[in-house]
Amino acid sequence: MTEARLKAKLWVQATIRCCFAQGSSATVVRKGDEDAGAILIKQNLGAQGFRILSQVRTPDGEAAWLQATGAEAVAESVADAYIARQVDRDWDLWVIEIEDRNGHLPFDDRIL
């Protein structure tokens, strides 16, 4: 039996609301497939730079986020270039930008 998954659009809307409730700002930078689009998080850390998180599953099937641009923050141009490459491969991709200088995220999934 497969796990029921929340539609991408609903997950994005809930994440944005959680960001606002926690005092962060969030914006949909790119809309993807409403039902099953993959999601990238562009995390704006202010003067520290940016981090891209890609939605993945662990070998156990748990939801997690991969630090797609590495463990260290990168320049916005590097983050945007990564996003552009991913959009070229997946037209159904969602991109959400979350601005929180402390790096807080509105979800509890593991960061790999």
Side-chain angles (χ1 to χ4, degrees), residues 18 25 28 36 43 51 54-55 61 67 73 78-81 83 86 109:
C18 286
S25 65
V28 175
Q43 192 176 26
R51 187 166 70 153
S54 178
Q55 193 177 43
Q67 296 180 72
V78 173
D80 288 343
I83 292 169
Q86 297 310 304
D109 299 336

Side-chain angles (χ1 to χ4, degrees), residues 4-76:
R5 294 196 186 173
L6 193 59
K7 292 184 181 222
K9 181 179 179 180
L10 293 175
W11 189 94
V12 167
Q13 290 172 335
T15 298
I16 288 173
R17 286 186 183 139
C18 286
C19 285
F20 287 125
Q22 295 174 0
S24 301
S25 65
T27 305
V28 175
V29 176
R30 183 177 195 287
K31 289 184 179 182
D33 181 78
E34 292 188 3
D35 294 329
I39 299 167
L40 287 180
I41 302 292
K42 179 180 178 184
Q43 192 176 26
N44 182 342
L45 302 169
Q48 299 171 55
F50 292 79
R51 187 166 70 153
I52 301 297
L53 302 173
S54 178
Q55 193 177 43
V56 295
R57 292 271 168 187
T58 67
D60 298 331
E62 305 267 333
W65 293 90
L66 177 67
Q67 296 180 72
T69 51
E72 300 297 320
V74 298
E76 186 169 19

